[in-house]
Amino acid sequence: MATPVKMPELGESITEGTITRWIKQEGDRVEVDEPLFEVSTDKVDTEVPSPVSGVLQSIKVQADETVEVGAELAVIEQDGEGGGEAGDATAEAAADEEAGEAAGAEEAEEVGEAAEATEAREGSEEAGAEEAGEAAAQTGDGAEAGSGSGDGGTTTVTMPELGESITEGTITRWIKQEGDRVEADEPLFEVSTDKVDTEVPSPVSGVLQSIKVQADETVEVGAELAVIGGGGGASQAPAAEADQAGEPAERGAEQATGTEEAPRDRKAEQAPDTGPREAKPAARAGGDGKAAAGVSPLVRRLAREHDVDLSEVQGSGSGGRVRREDVEAFVQQRGKQPAAAPAASGEARPKAAAAAPSGPRVAVPLAKGLREEVVPATRLRKVIAERMVASLQTSAQLTSAVEIDMTKVMRLRARAKDEFKAREGVSLSPMPFAVLALVAAIREYPTVNSAMDEDGNLHVYQDVHLGVAVDTPKGLFVPVIKHAESLNLAGLAKAISDVAKRTRDGKIGPDELSGSTISLTNTGSRGAVWDTPIINQPNAAIFATPAIVKRPVVVTDPDLGEVVAVRQMMYGILTYDHRIIDGADAARFLVKVKELLEAADFEGDLGLERE
């Protein structure tokens, strides 16, 4: 019986896949659930198991060909009874179509009663129940076999959406392993993005049947990560057909599933063309092919855009598979070496800046012969390095500063801090005062709270979504306080304390790490008295509050005139995008912040009477 093998559905948004390698070749024997071929999409690379046992009669889609979901890939001449002398005869004769048909005819005669029972099962389960049970064991009934295993349906676990601007994530660790029992909402794996590291809970209770993306692999949002089977104890990994239908089964029942579905659902495809096809090479990149197998369409496209021969790229994925990061690193290392001529197809060569740098640039070789410790960079550190360099390359950044006398603010804080903490539950730092002044100055100079798009249009925001730089053991994060303009002093103090604590504890939500319109960095909390912060893209500016220090300054006294006095001073620093903000406007903005903080008209916010 001929069973067509089709391109499986590998995710909701995936419409096509590329055959990267046929694990079995024409004439080979294949068992149900045994890996048959490898497929690559723009979101996942995976092995696809055979839906039935039999002989791979013909391959219709060769390696490196891309076809849509549902396209016919191959034909398997499947077994009849799946065992005994008849099964062996089928295996030996499957390479010959006529012999295969003859063997199938003999099997049909031997199991005629079973075949009749199978047809009778669809009309009535009670009539011929004993014969139907025998038929399910030999020719199969997928639904019955699945329920007979003691398991419920399967649930596909996909890469979750972790924020508006986050498109991919890296699996850092599987907390559960294949075969483990997992409860709903129990941590299943850890994922890392360029903005957050977090644990992801299981969507359902069941058994983790298969893991499709291993630790340290990066995939896009929506990519299939694992399969969880519902209910019961540990179970075998499902066959391809059972996986899609949501009906996992044990090994024997899986075989029944595959053999039942072919005659019932694919009747129109029973007579496929099994004629010879021109052979095509499996390797795609030339050379020895060491880096050619299993690359995704995304990797191939990136290599094509930058004229990269994949056989020259050292793969870092499982089994030496070339990943996107490997191609980007290769392009980076190639530097200014002349690239190969464009392909004959005339495909336009994109700008070199299309590929993001995979690591920091090194201007000159590092010194040799020194005592040193080589510390591998964490993924977050690499992301921070990339973002900082990208920010400087994106916008024309300039830093200006003013001196701010914070003496009045610090005196108000000293008067109010104990009562404030008792009333609000958080400490009163100088930072909320600075934010109130910042928001008030933005009302007068709104361009500071803006961004420029790729077409040069200026987006001036009326909402102030304040990004607050937070130092954590893992690195720098910038959680966002939405609608900071609507908060009073107490609201800002609590919001700043809340996002900072949750960020350091690793409990900040991914959606809270994007969407800022202006940012603030408080380097003064670590003692720095001066700073030149880098803009958090795509913001037009970032404001820095370094340390407040006591030092002698010249002040004007109404009675004494100019005198030297000890004051609590702070630099108010603004790094701004000179494409958007002129130097004079930046200075005016800073002076406005200075005036508001030096006036220190915050008694009403603190519930204090004026002295």
Side-chain angles (χ1 to χ4, degrees), residues 243-283:
D243 192 358
Q244 294 175 21
E247 297 170 359
E250 297 179 357
R251 176 70 61 179
E254 287 172 350
Q255 184 169 351
T257 303
T259 56
E260 157 63 15
E261 194 167 10
R264 194 194 304 189
D265 294 339
R266 302 176 181 174
K267 195 170 293 183
E269 302 173 9
Q270 292 292 313
D273 177 17
T274 58
R277 291 176 60 92
E278 181 181 353
K280 296 185 180 181

Side-chain angles (χ1 to χ4, degrees), residues 2-3 52 97 173 193 248 277 513 518 558 560 591:
T3 299
V52 296
E97 184 178 0
R173 180 170 70 96
T193 74
R277 291 176 60 92
L513 292 167
I518 189 171
L560 302 176
V591 169

Side-chain angles (χ1 to χ4, degrees), residues 236-317:
Q236 302 267 354
E241 294 287 343
D243 192 358
Q244 294 175 21
E247 297 170 359
E250 297 179 357
R251 176 70 61 179
E254 287 172 350
Q255 184 169 351
T257 303
T259 56
E260 157 63 15
E261 194 167 10
R264 194 194 304 189
D265 294 339
R266 302 176 181 174
K267 195 170 293 183
E269 302 173 9
Q270 292 292 313
D273 177 17
T274 58
R277 291 176 60 92
E278 181 181 353
K280 296 185 180 181
R284 298 187 302 276
D288 59 5
K290 64 181 176 66
V295 295
S296 69
L298 181 65
V299 170
R300 287 201 309 278
R301 182 168 63 250
L302 189 62
R304 186 169 58 248
E305 290 174 352
H306 294 279
D307 299 313
V308 172
D309 185 348
L310 289 175
S311 67
E312 299 177 1
V313 181
Q314 183 65 43
S316 63

Side-chain angles (χ1 to χ4, degrees), residues 423-583:
R423 182 177 70 246
E424 305 296 343
V426 295
S427 297
L428 180 61
S429 73
M431 199 168 172
F433 296 94
V435 175
L436 276 182
L438 192 71
V439 170
I442 286 172
R443 294 193 187 101
E444 192 164 333
Y445 302 97
T447 307
V448 176
N449 189 54
S450 68
M452 181 177 285
D453 63 25
E454 294 178 350
D455 297 324
N457 300 314
L458 193 60
H459 298 247
V460 182
Y461 303 111
Q462 298 177 11
D463 301 320
V464 179
H465 291 184
L466 179 68
V468 180
V470 176
D471 175 41
T472 77
K474 292 183 178 181
L476 180 68
F477 290 86
V478 187
V480 180
I481 298 173
K482 303 292 179 66
H483 299 288
E485 80 284 355
S486 66
L487 300 176
N488 59 16
L489 193 69
L492 287 170
K494 288 188 282 190
I496 293 169
S497 174
D498 172 61
V499 297
K501 184 179 186 304
R502 288 191 292 116
T503 300
R504 294 190 182 100
D505 292 343
K507 297 180 180 179
I508 195 73
D511 58 335
E512 298 175 273
L513 292 167
S514 61
S516 65
T517 60
I518 189 171
S519 300
L520 183 145
T521 177
N522 181 30
T523 53
S525 62
R526 297 297 181 262
V529 297
W530 179 259
D531 196 11
T532 54
I534 295 175
I535 293 173
N536 180 32
Q537 295 294 332
N539 299 168
I542 181 171
F543 186 73
T545 56
I548 300 171
V549 295
K550 292 181 180 180
R551 57 186 174 87
V553 296
V554 176
V555 297
T556 301
D557 183 88
D559 299 322
L560 302 176
E562 292 183 345
V563 296
V564 176
V566 175
R567 308 292 288 180
Q568 299 194 59
M569 303 297 294
M570 179 190 80
Y571 290 104
I573 301 171
L574 185 75
T575 295
Y576 56 96
D577 188 345
H578 213 339
R579 301 176 305 166
I580 300 173
I581 304 168
D582 293 333

Side-chain angles (χ1 to χ4, degrees), residues 62-382:
Q62 301 299 323
D64 201 34
E65 289 189 36
T66 301
V67 295
E68 294 185 355
V69 169
E72 185 172 322
L73 306 179
V75 174
I76 294 175
E77 183 68 26
Q78 78 178 56
D79 296 341
E81 292 182 309
E85 295 179 0
D88 293 339
T90 304
E92 294 173 359
D96 188 314
E97 184 178 0
E98 292 181 4
E101 292 176 356
E106 292 177 8
E107 291 167 1
E109 291 177 1
E110 294 177 29
V111 295
E113 293 182 2
E116 292 173 4
T118 303
E119 294 179 6
R121 176 189 295 263
E122 296 181 21
S124 171
E125 284 190 358
E126 291 186 1
E130 187 174 348
E131 293 177 320
E134 183 182 352
Q138 299 191 19
T139 60
D141 187 315
E144 295 288 333
S147 61
S149 71
D151 293 327
T154 58
T155 298
T156 299
V157 181
T158 60
M159 178 63 72
E161 295 183 5
L162 296 171
E164 294 178 0
S165 62
I166 298 175
T167 59
E168 64 180 17
T170 299
I171 302 296
T172 54
R173 180 170 70 96
W174 281 97
I175 300 170
K176 296 290 185 177
Q177 301 301 320
E178 289 185 357
D180 287 355
R181 174 76 186 178
V182 62
E183 301 300 329
D185 296 326
E186 183 180 6
L188 182 61
F189 62 92
E190 292 179 354
V191 64
S192 174
T193 74
D194 57 359
K195 294 184 177 179
V196 66
D197 291 359
T198 187
E199 291 181 349
V200 176
S202 173
V204 295
S205 297
V207 175
L208 182 56
Q209 292 185 336
S210 65
I211 293 175
K212 300 183 179 296
V213 177
Q214 301 302 319
D216 200 35
E217 289 192 32
T218 302
V219 295
E220 294 187 2
V221 169
E224 184 175 337
L225 305 180
V227 173
I228 295 176
S235 62
Q236 302 267 354
E241 294 287 343
D243 192 358
Q244 294 175 21
E247 297 170 359
E250 297 179 357
R251 176 70 61 179
E254 287 172 350
Q255 184 169 351
T257 303
T259 56
E260 157 63 15
E261 194 167 10
R264 194 194 304 189
D265 294 339
R266 302 176 181 174
K267 195 170 293 183
E269 302 173 9
Q270 292 292 313
D273 177 17
T274 58
R277 291 176 60 92
E278 181 181 353
K280 296 185 180 181
R284 298 187 302 276
D288 59 5
K290 64 181 176 66
V295 295
S296 69
L298 181 65
V299 170
R300 287 201 309 278
R301 182 168 63 250
L302 189 62
R304 186 169 58 248
E305 290 174 352
H306 294 279
D307 299 313
V308 172
D309 185 348
L310 289 175
S311 67
E312 299 177 1
V313 181
Q314 183 65 43
S316 63
S318 59
R321 182 171 62 87
V322 176
R323 303 165 60 195
R324 184 191 64 185
E325 293 86 348
D326 301 324
V327 176
E328 292 172 345
F330 182 87
V331 173
Q332 183 70 28
Q333 291 169 3
R334 187 171 63 185
K336 297 182 180 179
Q337 296 179 9
S345 63
E347 184 175 293
R349 185 195 307 275
K351 297 181 180 179
S358 61
R361 295 175 181 268
V362 179
V364 296
L366 303 184
K368 303 292 185 181
L370 303 178
R371 291 184 299 169
E372 62 182 12
E373 178 188 2
V374 179
V375 181
T378 64
R379 182 177 184 276
L380 180 59
R381 177 49 51 195
K382 291 178 181 178

